[in-house]
Amino acid sequence: MSEIGTASAAKVLFTGRILAENLLPYPALKDKDRDSLGMIVEAIDQFLRPKSADFKRWDRDGAQPAEFIQGLRDLGLFGLIIPEEFGGLGLSNAGYARILAQTSRHDSSVSLTIGAHSSIGMKGILLFGTPEQKSRYLPGLASGEAIAAFCLTESGAGSDAASIRTRAEKNADGSWTLNGEKIWITNGGIADVYTVFARTASDAGKITAFIVEAGWPGVSHGHHEDKMGIRASSTTTVNFADVRVPPENVLDEEGKGFKVAMAILNNGRTGLGGGAVGGMKALLALSTAQARGRRQFGHAIADYDLVKDKIAQMTVDCFAAESVVWMVAHYIDAGFDDYSLEAAISKVFASEAMQRSAYEALQIAGGSGFMRDYPYEQVVRDSRILTIFEGTNEVLRLYIALSGLKDLGRSFAELKNALDDIFNHPIKGFGVLGDYAERRLTQATGIGRDRIAALVPAALGEASAVYEKYTLELAKTADFVLRRHGKAIADRQFDLRRIADIAIDLFVGLCVLSRAASLAAEPAAGAQAVSIANIFAAQAKRRMAAAIRRITRNEDDAVRGLADHVLDKGGYGWDVL
Ligand SMILES: Cc1cc2nc3c(=O)[nH]c(=O)nc-3n(C[C@H](O)[C@H](O)[C@H](O)COP(=O)(O)OP(=O)(O)OC[C@H]3O[C@@H](n4cnc5c(N)ncnc54)[C@H](O)[C@@H]3O)c2cc1C
């Protein structure tokens, strides 16, 4: 990938352009990663494969025993992304995501314990730590002697993370006094180091990130939450009562905590995505065995089209999730500054693909799928969290659409300030959109010049044409909704969701196209990779066409009105009595 390709490919789609240099050729794993990954994957399988009965028991009991966590330490699984100089394995994001894919093939709670530590718990120290903070904490975090957790959520602050109430007051000696309670903290009960976000009074109530040690006076955690899924993973409240935090434990700058939190979450999304891909691969192995082994009406159920459809769709979903997750991991590894939109897209797509696969795998297993002797019900329960944590998929869809629209406006230099104002101060900024309405976006940007069909094998020509056409359609649609709703676009959630869905299909589809192009010539399954890309493009085209049509032809007002009615009534008001 060229250096000029460090702009956000997903944001550029909103201007009607495909940034081919950011998408083609599909990036390969680094040789260094490939060598060490093979060995780690082998070691993980050897350690986790014999424990399938234990995982079931720990799911029921709701905890991982200390000896097992020690085993994870011994395998080096807490130091995956920590540089070698601090005792870690120094894997790239792409390598790390591949490890979480492997652990997730065995058990989701294992991935959570490792993932919450690396993806979010200690990521802040890695991204923002001072040399002193790194040398103090990273060696222990790499060996797993210290386990990390990320403490943002509170009872009143979930999706609206900026509304946290945990407070840190600055003392005369420069230290801080921390008070508050965080809820649902993964690794809360086993962590030694917490990344904690608190409101700091000193600078108009802004948020600051702190590194807090579990052993300090005033730090405690609640009981292990009794959860629906990922039950063996530790989830607890974490409480801070007059905790003295030394000045050197501020992470990044005072008042910059929200930026730190968002950077950690963006950077960590490939861990969740990698885990989802591993889960889907495990399901495909189970489902193919089940479909071939189970006979009904004189045939293996695998002979029936309605079962084949599920297997094929699970494969398309898995390949697509894998393609987008590793593309984003490579963006991060290549040092792109702006990948937040792509990371959000990969999280939304991979989490929903995993949930669809879990549902269909259970359906293929029929009644057996419902029985606890089989693994499916646990996978359904375990994967349910994926669309909720690390940003709900609803909020991430709003983010995808709004940041794409914001960036579209930014591509017009003269509108930059006005659009900033619209999104930051809606009232002040309004009015300038009048000028914007005069412009034809399609003329101003010269969109429509990008041809990717020429860059991929001929068998992918039709799929390329879908993305070329619908990238233009996204720009036109974005232009249309901005002109139609002006500042009110931020509240038009039905349209924002449609726009996000188009952006998701386009970006994921382009990643699939790129990967299929790079695999097309492989004798083993190249033709099938091309087939997956063509299936995805055909399905995406239908979804995108429907989303665009529904921008102008929809029943949004009726839907909103009905919801208001039911909300007013406090439930469903009809009965046949
Ligand atoms: C098992 C588990 C582990 C977790 N681990 C951690 C952790 O390690 N660290 C941590 O800090 N947090 C953690 N969390 C918290 C998690 O990140 C939050 O649950 C999540 O951010 C959503 O917040 P909420 O649950 O309060 O839902 P809410 O924000 O109350 O959302 C409820 C519903 O409303 C929707 N919604 C909210 N706002 C809007 C809007 N503006 N427009 C449209 N829809 C909206 C949401 O999409 C959702 O469907 C964990 C949670 C769980 C369940």
Side-chain angles (χ1 to χ4, degrees):
M1 278 188 206
S2 68
E3 273 309 304
I4 44 165
T6 55
S8 162
K11 284 186 181 167
V12 168
L13 291 172
F14 282 77
T15 67
R17 297 201 48 223
I18 296 172
L19 213 52
E21 66 267 30
N22 275 14
L23 295 158
L24 291 157
Y26 193 80
L29 277 177
K30 288 185 195 141
D31 289 342
K32 175 180 163 286
D33 267 3
R34 199 184 292 277
D35 292 343
S36 39
L37 280 174
M39 288 184 302
I40 306 170
V41 161
E42 178 77 40
I44 287 172
D45 283 346
Q46 272 182 20
F47 180 60
L48 298 183
R49 197 180 287 121
K51 297 194 165 43
S52 59
D54 295 330
F55 293 137
K56 258 188 182 314
R57 200 171 63 251
W58 300 340
D59 169 61
R60 263 195 290 271
D61 296 349
Q64 288 161 336
E67 313 81 80
F68 175 70
I69 292 174
Q70 186 55 44
L72 299 178
R73 280 190 193 102
D74 296 342
L75 273 179
L77 294 181
F78 290 100
L80 295 170
I81 53 169
I82 296 180
E84 284 159 301
E85 58 179 303
F86 298 109
L89 294 171
L91 288 180
S92 63
N93 261 277
Y96 168 67
R98 179 63 187 80
I99 295 298
L100 285 199
Q102 200 66 22
T103 54
S104 296
R105 292 185 78 139
H106 298 278
D107 182 63
S108 303
S109 288
V110 175
S111 297
L112 247 286
T113 303
I114 303 164
H117 168 85
S118 291
S119 295
I120 53 178
M122 58 83 181
K123 183 62 75 65
I125 301 178
L126 213 52
L127 295 179
F128 297 100
T130 60
E132 196 275 330
Q133 288 169 338
K134 287 183 177 171
S135 60
R136 182 147 49 107
Y137 288 108
L138 289 182
L141 291 163
S143 67
E145 186 189 317
I147 293 176
F150 175 86
C151 302
L152 179 62
T153 304
E154 300 176 4
S155 60
S159 299
D160 184 10
S163 67
I164 57 169
R165 300 174 75 106
T166 292
R167 298 191 71 82
E169 307 281 348
K170 201 173 203 166
N171 303 315
D173 65 356
S175 69
W176 299 82
T177 300
L178 183 66
N179 278 291
E181 180 179 68
K182 300 290 181 177
I183 64 167
W184 303 334
I185 303 306
T186 305
N187 287 349
I190 57 170
D192 307 277
V193 175
Y194 299 110
T195 300
V196 183
F197 298 87
R199 198 162 288 291
T200 38
S202 52
D203 187 7
K206 287 201 173 153
I207 292 169
T208 301
F210 297 92
I211 307 168
V212 178
E213 297 183 21
W216 289 348
V219 182
S220 62
H221 65 81
H223 66 85
H224 188 111
E225 299 286 352
D226 189 6
K227 305 189 293 288
M228 168 188 181
I230 48 162
R231 288 176 48 78
S233 141
S234 160
T235 311
T236 69
T237 56
V238 181
N239 304 277
F240 307 97
D242 286 333
V243 177
R244 184 188 172 276
V245 182
E248 63 273 18
N249 276 40
V250 168
L251 198 48
D252 200 45
E253 286 170 44
E254 184 183 333
K256 295 276 170 63
F258 195 70
K259 178 201 80 177
V260 170
M262 293 305 119
I264 292 172
L265 289 169
N266 280 329
N267 193 282
R269 294 204 198 288
T270 49
L272 186 151
V277 170
M280 282 186 262
K281 289 187 178 181
L283 286 173
L284 271 162
L286 286 167
S287 292
T288 49
Q290 178 72 23
R292 284 158 60 170
R294 173 70 174 165
R295 293 181 73 79
Q296 286 293 280
F297 303 103
H299 290 270
I301 58 168
D303 290 346
Y304 301 120
D305 277 353
L306 297 187
V307 174
K308 286 189 203 296
D309 186 39
K310 295 184 198 309
I311 299 279
Q313 190 60 50
M314 287 164 71
T315 308
V316 170
D317 268 339
C318 185
F319 187 93
E322 189 171 51
S323 303
V324 69
V325 166
W326 270 272
M327 183 69 89
V328 173
H330 284 287
Y331 288 162
I332 301 173
D333 291 333
F336 284 36
D337 327 306
D338 187 2
Y339 53 80
S340 62
L341 201 56
E342 290 83 352
I345 288 174
S346 73
K347 191 275 186 178
V348 170
F349 186 85
S351 58
E352 292 175 7
M354 173 65 197
Q355 289 183 355
R356 282 193 293 272
S357 292
Y359 182 92
E360 293 293 36
L362 191 149
Q363 191 71 14
I364 291 170
S368 304
F370 205 68
M371 301 298 150
R372 296 195 76 171
D373 284 345
Y374 288 78
Y376 305 98
E377 64 85 30
Q378 186 184 339
V379 179
V380 169
R381 285 188 287 106
D382 284 351
S383 60
R384 189 60 188 84
I385 188 62
L386 295 175
T387 52
I388 297 173
F389 66 10
E390 296 196 21
T392 69
N393 285 21
E394 289 79 12
V395 169
L396 286 175
R397 276 192 166 82
L398 300 177
Y399 173 77
I400 290 165
L402 281 171
S403 53
L405 290 172
K406 180 174 173 175
D407 221 60
L408 166 67
R410 283 195 161 146
S411 68
F412 300 90
E414 73 272 30
L415 284 176
K416 180 181 179 306
N417 295 337
L419 275 156
D420 272 353
D421 275 346
I422 287 161
F423 284 97
N424 297 333
H425 312 284
I427 307 297
K428 202 171 127 207
F430 190 56
V432 193
L433 273 182
D435 297 340
Y436 183 73
E438 301 295 313
R439 287 163 209 279
R440 291 300 308 145
L441 173 87
T442 44
Q443 293 162 3
T445 58
I447 55 178
R449 283 174 295 171
D450 292 302
R451 301 276 306 158
I452 47 161
L455 306 172
V456 297
L460 291 166
E462 231 174 276
S464 305
V466 167
Y467 302 121
E468 287 167 6
K469 173 172 159 48
Y470 279 92
T471 301
L472 290 179
E473 294 294 334
L474 173 63
K476 284 191 213 157
T477 305
D479 178 44
F480 176 78
V481 297
L482 272 179
R483 284 190 286 115
R484 187 185 215 192
H485 299 298
K487 65 172 181 170
I489 188 62
D491 296 321
R492 306 291 301 193
Q493 294 198 345
F494 289 113
D495 283 344
L496 292 173
R497 184 177 59 193
R498 290 174 188 126
I499 286 173
D501 284 341
I502 299 168
I504 292 167
D505 264 331
L506 278 176
F507 183 68
V508 175
L510 285 162
C511 293
V512 170
L513 186 82
S514 167
R515 182 129 177 271
S518 72
L519 295 174
E522 283 194 2
Q528 294 305 332
V530 168
S531 174
I532 288 173
N534 287 329
I535 293 170
F536 189 93
Q539 294 177 338
K541 180 181 169 183
R542 281 194 291 276
R543 289 189 293 260
M544 293 188 286
I548 290 166
R549 208 168 43 244
R550 294 193 63 205
I551 296 264
T552 48
R553 289 168 38 204
N554 58 59
E555 58 286 351
D556 294 354
D557 290 339
V559 168
R560 199 179 291 111
L562 175 61
D564 286 341
H565 169 82
V566 174
L567 287 162
D568 279 350
K569 286 234 170 247
Y572 184 84
W574 296 273
D575 196 337
V576 291
L577 269 181

